[in-house]
Amino acid sequence: MKGTLGNMMQQVQKMQEQMQQAQAELAEKEVIGSAGADAVKITMNGQQQVKNINIDQAMVGDDFEMLEDLLIAAFNDVLNKISELQKENMGGLTEGLNLPPGFKMPF
């Protein structure tokens, strides 16, 4: 029993180190979300910090409501892409741990 607990603690420590490394790698990646056939583009890093907003000059006119809608759509697009990127980066860390369904990491 003692050896099993020690092995489990080593696995948890190793997983924590891998998770920290994966988070650091994720922070350096950039993702672009777009809307309106690329009329509005938003670039975020893996920590969900906005790095750039690019708006096609043709969109800047009298239709501010359309521009606002496109900005919302582009933000949602980039957030969804970052969520997928996070799943890809972190997914392999919990393999082999037999965690119950729905269990979320980190704690």
Side-chain angles (χ1 to χ4, degrees):
M1 183 74 159
K2 203 177 207 184
T4 304
L5 184 58
N7 288 340
M8 191 168 140
M9 292 303 292
Q10 286 178 339
Q11 281 183 320
V12 168
Q13 185 176 16
K14 183 178 178 182
M15 187 178 68
Q16 285 176 327
E17 291 169 2
Q18 290 172 333
M19 190 174 295
Q20 288 173 342
Q21 181 180 357
Q23 287 174 337
E25 290 172 7
L26 187 62
E28 297 205 8
K29 293 186 179 183
E30 288 191 350
V31 179
I32 299 172
S34 64
D38 291 341
V40 175
K41 295 180 189 175
I42 297 173
T43 304
M44 285 186 159
N45 67 12
Q47 293 178 320
Q48 299 181 355
Q49 296 171 327
V50 176
K51 293 297 185 179
N52 187 36
I53 296 176
N54 184 300
I55 302 170
D56 185 346
Q57 287 188 351
M59 287 304 306
V60 182
D62 294 333
D63 197 356
F64 288 108
E65 190 173 318
M66 171 68 90
L67 182 58
E68 290 170 342
D69 289 343
L70 289 175
L71 283 168
I72 290 168
F75 270 109
N76 289 332
D77 184 44
V78 74
L79 287 171
N80 288 334
K81 288 178 180 178
I82 288 174
S83 179
E84 287 300 313
L85 185 63
Q86 289 172 336
K87 286 178 190 175
E88 289 173 19
N89 265 22
M90 301 296 192
L93 296 178
T94 57
E95 286 180 19
L97 290 181
N98 297 324
L99 297 174
F103 189 81
K104 297 192 181 208
M105 295 290 286
F107 305 104

